[in-house]
Amino acid sequence: MFEKEKREILDAALEIRRCNLISLSGGNVSMRAGENLFLVTPSGMIYEEMTADDVVVIDRECKVVEGMRKPSSDSPALVYMFEHMPHINALIHTHQPYATAAGFAANQIPEFLVTLIDANGAAVNVAPFTPSSDIGMGIMAVKYAGESRAVILKHHGIMAYGADMKEALYSAIYLEEAAKTFVLAKAMGADIPLLAPEDIAKEKRGWLDYGQ
């Protein structure tokens, strides 16, 4: 069941690993799979050792519907986000260092860089700390999501999401690129100027025609 979607999740997990957004078994990747079903990476498993068959199908109570692995311990938070953000179908949770570091320097990464405007769609807010594996992580992510396709979880990492896995993947990867620029500028003592609203709007329009 959901073989194509499981492969898509595994490919995304390996890509965020290649991009150094997670280490070993950190973070998770999940996807909406029809009504009241969700696909999620297993708990505590190194991504390079994972196969598509290791991806778990769970229901809205986080009970395993298909699969032999234990689902991610963050599953209650992930399901909460899917249920309260009906426009998203894919979620990527990482512990990426630059975005997490940016969350200590500011309560928001503004729309100051074209990649953030393009991939995240709006300024990225910083949500207060909640413990790992706590549904509060999902509650705070929803509360602080705003119009963006990502939110930074203070002391923890980020949640990136989108209408599909490609959108979530772009959000996570380009957020780290923008956060690196943000952190370096702050370290140099630079004031980061904000772009004019009309320039931001023009950049967003250009992203709509990006790609093939």
Side-chain angles (χ1 to χ4, degrees):
M1 193 161 59
F2 305 116
E3 299 309 313
K4 177 179 175 292
E5 290 83 359
K6 289 177 181 179
R7 184 71 235 179
E8 196 173 351
I9 284 178
L10 180 58
D11 288 346
L14 291 173
E15 183 62 25
I16 60 173
R17 178 71 185 91
R18 281 191 291 268
C19 292
N20 296 314
L21 303 191
I22 49 94
S23 299
L24 298 174
S25 60
N28 48 69
V29 182
S30 57
M31 212 172 174
R32 196 188 300 273
E35 189 173 356
N36 296 325
L37 290 179
F38 310 92
L39 299 167
V40 62
T41 48
S43 175
M45 192 169 186
I46 294 173
Y47 292 99
E48 287 87 349
E49 298 176 357
M50 200 182 297
T51 70
D53 289 338
D54 293 313
V55 176
V56 186
V57 183
I58 61 173
D59 63 17
R60 60 198 307 265
E61 281 77 43
C62 300
K63 293 178 181 176
V64 175
V65 174
E66 180 182 282
M68 301 299 293
R69 301 289 183 183
K70 178 183 176 183
S72 169
S73 60
D74 291 332
S75 292
L78 304 175
V79 170
Y80 182 92
M81 291 183 69
F82 281 122
E83 292 194 326
H84 290 80
M85 301 174 77
H87 60 289
I88 71 169
N89 294 303
L91 260 169
I92 295 175
H93 169 48
T94 79
H95 301 153
Q96 55 200 70
Y98 281 97
T100 307
F104 294 117
N107 292 322
Q108 182 186 80
I109 301 182
E111 295 176 290
F112 78 108
L113 199 68
V114 292
T115 45
L116 185 142
I117 296 167
D118 292 341
N120 301 119
V124 178
N125 294 323
V126 180
F129 172 72
T130 51
S132 299
S133 309
D134 193 305
I135 193 172
M137 185 170 71
I139 294 170
M140 287 296 103
V142 171
K143 182 177 179 180
Y144 283 81
E147 298 300 315
S148 180
R149 287 187 282 275
V151 62
I152 296 170
L153 308 171
K154 203 159 193 176
H155 301 274
H156 191 159
I158 69 111
M159 285 286 193
Y161 35 83
D164 54 31
M165 189 59 71
K166 182 179 179 180
E167 198 166 71
L169 197 59
Y170 272 62
S171 176
I173 292 171
Y174 280 128
L175 172 57
E176 187 70 350
E177 181 179 286
K180 184 183 289 189
T181 304
F182 184 86
V183 168
L184 288 172
K186 287 285 188 182
M188 294 186 298
D191 290 326
I192 300 174
L194 300 181
L195 291 167
E198 57 269 24
D199 291 329
I200 293 172
K202 184 177 180 181
E203 181 65 30
K204 288 180 180 179
R205 288 194 298 271
W207 182 249
L208 297 175
D209 296 327
Y210 180 75
Q212 302 301 311

